[in-house]
Amino acid sequence: MLAAISIVLFTVVIFLLWKHFQANRKFIVYGDKIPGPKGLPIVGNALMIPISRADGLELRRHLVKEYGHISRLWMGNMLTVFLSDADDCEVILKDPKHITKSLVIYSFFHPWLGTGLLTSSGEKWHSRRKAITPTFHFKILEQFTNIFDKNGTILINRLKEYCDGKIFDVQPLISRYTLDIICETAMGIQINAQNDPNSSYITSLRNLCQLISDRARKPWLQNDFLYTLTGKRREEDKLIKTLHDFTNKVIQAKSVTLSESEHTSHTKDEGIKEKTAFLELLLKMKMSGNPTFKTYSDIREEVDTFMFEGHDTTSAAISFALVQISKHKDVQDKIYDEVASLVESGADISSYESLQKMKYLESVIKESLRLFPSVPIIGRELIEDVYLPSGYTVPKGAMLFISVFFLHRNEKYFPNPEVFNPDNFLYESTNKRHPYGYIPFSAGPRNCIGQKFAMLELKSVLAKIILEFEIEPADDGWELELDPNVVLQSSNGHRIKIKPRI
């Protein structure tokens, strides 16, 4: 009886996969020319997909080693292409025709993020991008440095509790710091997450990202029926409710402080005249009848998007950077000397001007983002056939992924690509490098709107930490275990030791 049920379930799974990935002659004609492992009938290479996300990273590493910087897999009859050569990536990223995110990954964000800036395309994306861009004007960023500094001081006080010579995971502390930052800068509210170690928002965010990553990686979970049957739909709904409840509460609290008369009296460029929180600007646009933001749901899409992108990605970037700095004392000493010299000159190291002068620290951050890009892979939905400089054609409708992780480890652009070396970002190196050989914030029309914000935040907090503490590596044999989640993580934490500077 059990065997019969198993056979029926297996048959149903195969049928649903086959229906989901209909045969396409163009896929076969063009796909068979692209290097990659031979697929089996019906399932293609689906059986190669590993259970764990970490093993998924190793599968892509194998594809690069075995087949080069363009390779393909067959997921059922769906052609999936991976790129990690800058010439090929440039063709996709710089062309406005290719701004549509891959539905195979990004459609799974829709129940949570709707069709905000991360997941939308076409006219909606263009209008949202144009409306939101002024909130990242450098005049606003200048004023946010005080918020970075204030919350950085709270983080320093939290870190002082770990100056006992013991190894600890720094990531949870950093995560709460970045959540405080994005809430106060983007939404104009203070939630004091650093003083609340049991934030349900952070836990729900991390668990939901894991669900989405697993669903995007496993073809059988991409079918709505099977996804619901496993119980994961119910789990996802609960997590999304927690996240939506948080943002709805924030939006409603902020909206009651704004009146119609206050909004309509401001000019169009108000966002660059004074520090206007991202959420406040969206609410004012809604109140004035701006068609880009007609409803509170429109606003929540962007608030949820920025809470995710402005918190989790930055948290990962800071945590990976601290681990690398802990392992390279010579690098840490140079950062300290750079920051200390500014202090000795009487400069306010929290100011916008001082942060701009921290060139070596910036090169360290860039090198850490090279090895550990917060977003390790970018998906695109092709609306037409694309001929690549590598000599291959990727047909319309194929799943195309830019492997940022392996692009950044391509020895064509970075000698000794597995070695941490901030000198990769000296002028003489960057001046000769392919402009699409390093894309931690993506590139082209869909580049990250908050990249300057993120860099200032990273500089601010790392400068404060290194000025206050000596950072030492975990010496118990621990090593990073990379987890290519929606945001690159370490599944076993980010472990360091710290002691006060004398």
mmCIF file of all heavy atoms in Angstrom, residues 96 99 114 161 181 202 206 256 322 366 423 435 443 455 463 491-492:
data_model
loop_
_atom_site.group_PDB
_atom_site.id
_atom_site.type_symbol
_atom_site.label_atom_id
_atom_site.label_comp_id
_atom_site.label_asym_id
_atom_site.label_seq_id
_atom_site.Cartn_x
_atom_site.Cartn_y
_atom_site.Cartn_z
ATOM 1 N N PRO A 96 18.127 48.349 -21.121
ATOM 2 C CA PRO A 96 16.834 48.592 -20.456
ATOM 3 C C PRO A 96 15.758 47.563 -20.799
ATOM 4 O O PRO A 96 14.782 47.428 -20.070
ATOM 5 C CB PRO A 96 16.433 49.990 -20.964
ATOM 6 C CG PRO A 96 17.703 50.621 -21.419
ATOM 7 C CD PRO A 96 18.560 49.499 -21.924
ATOM 8 N N ILE A 99 15.246 44.531 -17.882
ATOM 9 C CA ILE A 99 15.130 44.921 -16.469
ATOM 10 C C ILE A 99 14.137 44.055 -15.702
ATOM 11 O O ILE A 99 13.999 44.193 -14.493
ATOM 12 C CB ILE A 99 14.711 46.400 -16.319
ATOM 13 C CG1 ILE A 99 13.288 46.627 -16.863
ATOM 14 C CG2 ILE A 99 15.709 47.324 -16.981
ATOM 15 C CD1 ILE A 99 12.725 47.980 -16.521
ATOM 16 N N GLY A 114 4.885 42.340 -2.590
ATOM 17 C CA GLY A 114 4.047 42.838 -3.677
ATOM 18 C C GLY A 114 4.899 43.063 -4.916
ATOM 19 O O GLY A 114 5.811 42.281 -5.216
ATOM 20 N N GLU A 161 30.218 44.349 26.185
ATOM 21 C CA GLU A 161 29.831 43.210 27.022
ATOM 22 C C GLU A 161 30.545 41.919 26.604
ATOM 23 O O GLU A 161 30.462 40.903 27.307
ATOM 24 C CB GLU A 161 28.314 43.011 26.940
ATOM 25 C CG GLU A 161 27.509 44.225 27.412
ATOM 26 C CD GLU A 161 26.024 44.096 27.088
ATOM 27 O OE1 GLU A 161 25.592 42.971 26.740
ATOM 28 O OE2 GLU A 161 25.300 45.108 27.181
ATOM 29 N N ILE A 181 18.872 51.369 12.213
ATOM 30 C CA ILE A 181 19.268 52.379 11.223
ATOM 31 C C ILE A 181 18.194 52.557 10.163
ATOM 32 O O ILE A 181 17.766 53.680 9.864
ATOM 33 C CB ILE A 181 20.605 51.994 10.559
ATOM 34 C CG1 ILE A 181 21.755 52.107 11.546
ATOM 35 C CG2 ILE A 181 20.868 52.880 9.328
ATOM 36 C CD1 ILE A 181 22.097 53.503 11.975
ATOM 37 N N ILE A 202 13.137 40.403 13.069
ATOM 38 C CA ILE A 202 14.391 39.861 12.547
ATOM 39 C C ILE A 202 14.278 38.349 12.345
ATOM 40 O O ILE A 202 14.682 37.814 11.308
ATOM 41 C CB ILE A 202 15.554 40.195 13.497
ATOM 42 C CG1 ILE A 202 15.812 41.707 13.512
ATOM 43 C CG2 ILE A 202 16.816 39.456 13.086
ATOM 44 C CD1 ILE A 202 16.852 42.150 14.523
ATOM 45 N N ARG A 206 14.458 36.438 8.596
ATOM 46 C CA ARG A 206 15.456 35.415 8.271
ATOM 47 C C ARG A 206 14.790 34.108 7.853
ATOM 48 O O ARG A 206 15.190 33.471 6.866
ATOM 49 C CB ARG A 206 16.369 35.212 9.496
ATOM 50 C CG ARG A 206 17.541 34.284 9.269
ATOM 51 C CD ARG A 206 18.489 34.785 8.197
ATOM 52 N NE ARG A 206 18.861 36.160 8.378
ATOM 53 C CZ ARG A 206 19.826 36.588 9.188
ATOM 54 N NH1 ARG A 206 20.501 35.717 9.897
ATOM 55 N NH2 ARG A 206 20.128 37.858 9.260
ATOM 56 N N VAL A 256 -0.682 59.360 10.753
ATOM 57 C CA VAL A 256 -1.515 60.202 11.606
ATOM 58 C C VAL A 256 -0.811 61.506 11.972
ATOM 59 O O VAL A 256 -1.443 62.453 12.421
ATOM 60 C CB VAL A 256 -1.939 59.464 12.895
ATOM 61 C CG1 VAL A 256 -2.760 58.249 12.571
ATOM 62 C CG2 VAL A 256 -0.729 59.102 13.755
ATOM 63 N N LEU A 322 33.783 42.264 9.147
ATOM 64 C CA LEU A 322 34.416 42.114 10.461
ATOM 65 C C LEU A 322 35.210 40.816 10.553
ATOM 66 O O LEU A 322 36.305 40.789 11.130
ATOM 67 C CB LEU A 322 33.357 42.176 11.563
ATOM 68 C CG LEU A 322 32.794 43.567 11.864
ATOM 69 C CD1 LEU A 322 31.587 43.473 12.794
ATOM 70 C CD2 LEU A 322 33.865 44.466 12.479
ATOM 71 N N LYS A 366 34.984 47.126 -0.053
ATOM 72 C CA LYS A 366 34.763 46.657 -1.423
ATOM 73 C C LYS A 366 35.333 45.258 -1.632
ATOM 74 O O LYS A 366 34.727 44.417 -2.310
ATOM 75 C CB LYS A 366 35.377 47.636 -2.415
ATOM 76 C CG LYS A 366 34.614 48.942 -2.544
ATOM 77 C CD LYS A 366 35.265 49.876 -3.551
ATOM 78 C CE LYS A 366 34.428 51.134 -3.754
ATOM 79 N NZ LYS A 366 35.047 52.083 -4.704
ATOM 80 N N ASP A 423 44.056 45.700 -1.950
ATOM 81 C CA ASP A 423 44.762 46.389 -3.025
ATOM 82 C C ASP A 423 44.086 46.185 -4.376
ATOM 83 O O ASP A 423 44.405 46.878 -5.346
ATOM 84 C CB ASP A 423 46.225 45.922 -3.107
ATOM 85 C CG ASP A 423 47.056 46.442 -1.938
ATOM 86 O OD1 ASP A 423 46.548 47.283 -1.172
ATOM 87 O OD2 ASP A 423 48.213 46.011 -1.789
ATOM 88 N N PRO A 435 34.317 47.293 -16.388
ATOM 89 C CA PRO A 435 33.339 47.985 -15.537
ATOM 90 C C PRO A 435 32.235 47.086 -14.996
ATOM 91 O O PRO A 435 31.588 47.440 -14.010
ATOM 92 C CB PRO A 435 32.765 49.066 -16.468
ATOM 93 C CG PRO A 435 33.069 48.598 -17.852
ATOM 94 C CD PRO A 435 34.366 47.850 -17.742
ATOM 95 N N ALA A 443 24.244 46.565 -11.509
ATOM 96 C CA ALA A 443 24.763 47.594 -12.415
ATOM 97 C C ALA A 443 23.707 47.889 -13.466
ATOM 98 O O ALA A 443 22.735 47.146 -13.616
ATOM 99 C CB ALA A 443 26.062 47.114 -13.075
ATOM 100 N N MET A 455 27.175 52.237 1.723
ATOM 101 C CA MET A 455 28.611 52.430 1.901
ATOM 102 C C MET A 455 28.900 53.377 3.063
ATOM 103 O O MET A 455 29.818 53.145 3.867
ATOM 104 C CB MET A 455 29.239 52.949 0.613
ATOM 105 C CG MET A 455 30.754 53.079 0.673
ATOM 106 S SD MET A 455 31.634 51.530 1.043
ATOM 107 C CE MET A 455 31.461 50.678 -0.530
ATOM 108 N N ALA A 463 34.402 52.017 11.216
ATOM 109 C CA ALA A 463 35.375 52.962 11.761
ATOM 110 C C ALA A 463 35.231 53.056 13.277
ATOM 111 O O ALA A 463 36.231 53.057 14.017
ATOM 112 C CB ALA A 463 35.190 54.334 11.118
ATOM 113 N N SER A 491 25.996 30.100 7.637
ATOM 114 C CA SER A 491 25.062 29.264 8.392
ATOM 115 C C SER A 491 25.547 28.987 9.808
ATOM 116 O O SER A 491 24.749 28.604 10.671
ATOM 117 C CB SER A 491 24.820 27.942 7.662
ATOM 118 O OG SER A 491 26.038 27.236 7.484
ATOM 119 N N ASN A 492 26.838 29.175 10.064
ATOM 120 C CA ASN A 492 27.360 28.962 11.416
ATOM 121 C C ASN A 492 27.833 30.277 12.051
ATOM 122 O O ASN A 492 28.719 30.293 12.896
ATOM 123 C CB ASN A 492 28.487 27.924 11.414
ATOM 124 C CG ASN A 492 29.677 28.350 10.565
ATOM 125 O OD1 ASN A 492 29.567 29.256 9.732
ATOM 126 N ND2 ASN A 492 30.806 27.708 10.764
#
